[in-house]
Amino acid sequence: MADFTVGERDFLLDGRPVRLLSGALHYFRVHESQWGHRLAMLRAMGLNCVETYVPWNLHEPAPGRFRDPGALGRFLDAAHAAGLWAIVRPGPYICAEWDNGGLPHWLTGALGRRARTRDPEYLGQVERWFGALLPQVVARQVDRGGPVLMVQVENEYGSYGTDRVYLRALADLLGELGVTVPLFTSDGPEDHMLSGGCVPGLLATVNFGSGAREGFGVLRRHRPGGPLMCMEFWCGWFAHWGAEPVVRDAGEAAGVLREILECGASVNLYMAHGGTSFAGWAGANRDGGEHLGTLRPDVTSYDYDAPVDEYGRPTPKFWAFREVLAEYAHGPLPEPPPAPARLGAPVTVPLTEWVAAEDVLEALGTAEEVYAVPPTFEELDVDRGVVRYRFEVPGPRQPYPLRVLGLRDRAVVLVDGVRAGVLTEDDAVLPEPVAGPAEVELWVESLGRVNYGPTLGEPKGITGGVLHERQFLHGVRARGLRLDAFGEAFADPALMRRLSPRATAEAGRGLFQGTFDAPERGDARLELSGLVRGFVWVNGVNLGRYWNTGPQRSLYVPGAVLRDLANEVWVWEVEVEDATGPEVTFH
């Protein structure tokens, strides 16, 4: 056991100064079979610590129903075995380019703007969640022989609000639940962010991608004492669908890392290894300085242009950072571990069977009910997936424009069973007017909930209504289809019998299937042909969203999900009109 404390100028381990050379690695973005390899890569880069967030919505999909909450503890054990200390950032809000910033849809759907405040109902839910999560952190604190050195209070709260009562309540709760290691906050190096996010008596850290001396100077105006630490050194960046990827020069980034260390500061590389936002958990941002503009959904890959890429390989940035960090090491750095095995040879898999979207909805969706106005995803208890809305346009009446108010995020529209267009929040009027009587179907998909800024927690679906000319259409029938319903079906033969695949001739939106062998298993890159947008499962594991808009052109496949024989691949395609010869190729 050891004693880790915050000194006047340094972190202290058993009374001796220590510098934290940390790297972010999210256990939930890396297949568990690969944790050991990725942690060894961090050690080989010259790091002595790993940092991770904890996504509440991943682990508690419904109130009181937990999904593998022990994963965090297993990851911390893996970090300890790798010789790394650990920093835990449990939120409850985490940002992380993760759907809803890690907050459950059922929480923000009910509480709205009361989330991330002193609101008693919100704090009650946090206390219940932390009560389930934190015992595994408490048991692994450094003063109990574990790797955990510090725990964060909230996350970049100064970029969101000013509720000091809330922050103090969170800090007190962490202490009441047994956290004895130092608590800290992290915020941008700006006065309004630090004044909104710091908690008296707790260590304050800052996040930035450049300008270390200036950033630490701002921090010192607010906190004259205490160790300096950049809790998020943004050495790369994330990518949005339809935008160019952001790439940062390795030498330039290494120069900023050196500047941070020359300031005498500790550092946490964000990200050291980004991984993958599997299963549709990627979040979204909004444009503009105040983050109120157009929705920009994040791609599935969280490569982040990190030193260790999505496939676990060292990049030029890895070697540049290793050179800098070696100067601060107490002895030679270990060599990188052997690279993970790659798929022996490419495999092309024709998707020869198909189930129409309507039949999939019938088999796996929630019951259809009638509502006065369109219910949101949250009201239908859909976290990720689609909702089909059906409206009747009364008639007879002449053609008028049909507009969707508050569409979040994207809708394929059918009028009397014929495709009439694809609508988005910013382009929400059908190209051709609609006459009555008619039946209008809107298959609305969430592209990822906002994870940062004042629109955090905004609902998904049709949030305003459907107008025919100026008239609202009422009496809507709605039915949800959760992404998790697919995984449940693939694991349950009884549910699978509800689906009746047929040949893919003249196939469109729906669920495609193929099988293949992979005798030389290993990590692979999956590419799709003849499809537009949707999700891919391999042997029941949801690899995430694909979209031919780019920039991401392939999906990462961990070798551990493959079998030698009879692998199954399922593709849920939500937009294509005519899928001609659809196939996937594993490279």
Side-chain angles (χ1 to χ4, degrees):
M1 293 185 286
D3 180 42
F4 181 82
T5 56
V6 174
E8 283 298 316
R9 288 286 167 176
D10 300 295
F11 292 115
L12 303 174
L13 186 67
D14 292 332
R16 294 187 297 274
V18 62
R19 189 196 301 257
L20 300 185
L21 304 174
S22 182
L25 192 165
H26 301 155
Y27 67 92
F28 47 92
R29 281 185 161 124
V30 179
H31 194 276
E32 187 165 351
S33 66
Q34 297 171 333
W35 287 350
H37 176 269
R38 304 305 194 259
L39 291 166
M41 290 294 291
L42 267 59
R43 287 271 292 143
M45 189 165 35
L47 302 179
N48 59 21
C49 186
V50 63
E51 172 270 310
T52 187
Y53 281 127
V54 183
W56 184 0
N57 52 7
L58 176 67
H59 292 303
E60 193 175 11
R65 179 165 67 86
F66 297 107
R67 176 169 50 196
D68 196 16
L72 172 62
R74 298 196 304 275
F75 178 75
L76 294 174
D77 290 342
H80 201 190
L84 292 166
W85 291 314
I87 296 169
V88 179
R89 302 207 278 172
Y93 162 80
I94 64 171
C95 185
E97 290 69 61
W98 190 261
D99 189 86
N100 218 26
L103 297 175
H105 73 286
W106 50 262
L107 180 80
T108 55
L111 299 184
R113 292 178 295 110
R114 290 186 287 151
R116 302 185 76 189
T117 71
R118 73 189 78 180
D119 177 77
E121 187 176 354
Y122 171 69
L123 284 175
Q125 293 284 11
V126 173
E127 181 175 359
R128 184 186 52 75
W129 160 237
F130 275 7
L133 173 73
L134 286 177
Q136 59 193 308
V137 178
V138 169
R140 293 169 173 85
Q141 295 177 108
V142 69
D143 56 7
R144 300 193 184 191
V148 177
L149 297 180
M150 296 197 297
V151 173
Q152 181 171 285
V153 176
E154 240 275 351
N155 185 60
E156 293 188 317
Y157 189 72
S159 298
Y160 181 80
T162 60
D163 195 338
R164 292 287 191 87
V165 174
Y166 163 55
L167 294 180
R168 173 51 63 186
L170 276 186
D172 291 346
L173 175 61
L174 291 168
E176 291 164 8
L177 292 173
V179 175
T180 54
V181 296
L183 302 177
F184 69 94
T185 59
S186 67
D187 289 286
E190 298 186 39
D191 288 328
H192 70 290
M193 294 179 180
L194 288 165
S195 62
C198 292
V199 177
L202 301 188
L203 174 71
T205 67
V206 283
N207 305 334
F208 52 75
S210 60
R213 289 182 176 84
E214 294 82 356
F216 288 136
V218 176
L219 176 61
R220 280 292 184 231
R221 288 206 301 269
H222 292 258
R223 290 297 174 86
L228 292 174
M229 184 165 186
C230 178
M231 188 53 64
E232 293 185 15
F233 166 43
W234 303 318
C235 56
W237 205 244
F238 50 91
H240 296 307
W241 291 112
E244 290 300 314
V246 179
V247 178
R248 185 170 189 181
D249 178 76
E252 185 269 337
V256 177
L257 175 59
R258 184 179 297 279
E259 181 186 359
I260 292 170
L261 299 176
E262 287 175 347
C263 290
S266 292
V267 67
N268 180 50
L269 308 179
Y270 195 96
M271 297 290 297
H273 170 62
T276 308
S277 299
F278 296 110
W281 283 111
N285 294 86
R286 287 195 175 275
D287 278 347
E290 297 177 347
H291 298 273
L292 295 170
T294 299
L295 188 79
R296 301 298 182 195
D298 300 326
V299 302
T300 295
S301 171
Y302 203 60
D303 179 90
Y304 210 87
D305 190 31
V308 181
D309 75 5
E310 185 177 13
Y311 290 76
R313 301 169 298 198
T315 68
K317 195 174 291 179
F318 173 94
W319 299 110
F321 282 12
R322 177 180 160 99
E323 182 178 345
V324 173
L325 293 167
E327 299 175 21
Y328 296 85
H330 301 291
L333 297 181
E335 292 300 313
R342 294 300 303 269
L343 187 68
V347 180
T348 296
V349 185
L351 301 175
T352 56
E353 295 189 310
W354 171 73
V355 184
E358 292 77 10
D359 295 333
V360 175
L361 181 63
E362 183 64 31
L364 305 181
T366 62
E368 184 172 75
E369 297 186 26
V370 180
Y371 302 83
V373 297
T376 64
F377 276 47
E378 289 72 17
E379 290 167 329
L380 293 172
D381 194 27
V382 175
D383 56 353
R384 295 152 295 127
V386 300
V387 171
R388 184 186 68 182
Y389 299 91
R390 296 204 285 183
F391 297 83
E392 298 293 335
V393 178
R397 62 174 65 188
Q398 68 186 64
Y400 289 115
L402 189 138
R403 177 189 302 272
V404 183
L405 301 179
L407 174 60
R408 303 194 183 119
D409 295 309
R410 191 175 179 95
V412 175
V413 184
L414 292 82
V415 177
D416 290 332
V418 178
R419 183 164 169 147
V422 177
L423 302 182
T424 66
E425 181 181 57
D426 296 327
D427 185 10
V429 181
L430 278 182
E432 297 294 332
V434 176
E439 181 180 84
V440 178
E441 288 186 33
L442 296 99
W443 291 70
V444 178
E445 181 187 11
S446 167
L447 297 177
R449 287 180 174 80
V450 168
N451 53 256
Y452 179 87
T455 61
L456 178 75
E458 65 182 8
K460 292 295 186 179
I462 297 176
T463 66
V466 174
L467 291 179
H468 194 232
E469 205 258 348
R470 76 200 68 181
Q471 185 183 73
F472 279 105
L473 299 178
H474 291 116
V476 57
R477 289 170 287 169
R479 189 171 195 178
L481 177 58
R482 299 176 299 110
L483 268 187
D484 284 349
F486 290 90
E488 294 162 5
F490 299 148
D492 187 338
L495 287 175
M496 287 302 296
R497 284 194 290 271
R498 298 182 187 177
L499 301 170
S500 300
R502 56 182 184 266
T504 54
E506 300 182 3
R509 294 177 305 111
L511 185 62
F512 294 80
Q513 194 248 351
T515 59
F516 66 101
D517 297 336
E520 299 178 71
R521 288 179 294 160
D523 289 0
R525 173 172 52 87
L526 182 150
E527 295 181 342
L528 299 100
S529 175
L531 300 169
V532 176
R533 193 181 74 258
F535 290 87
V536 180
W537 289 257
V538 173
N539 296 328
V541 176
N542 188 336
L543 302 179
R545 175 179 280 115
Y546 66 89
W547 194 353
N548 67 0
T549 190
Q552 184 177 351
R553 301 295 182 183
S554 61
L555 293 173
Y556 169 61
V557 185
V561 311
L562 298 176
R563 302 188 288 253
D564 290 339
L565 302 173
N567 293 277
E568 292 187 326
V569 56
W570 294 88
V571 179
W572 169 238
E573 166 61 44
V574 297
E575 189 161 320
V576 72
E577 282 193 82
D578 180 13
T580 303
E583 62 184 24
V584 299
T585 300
F586 295 81
H587 297 275

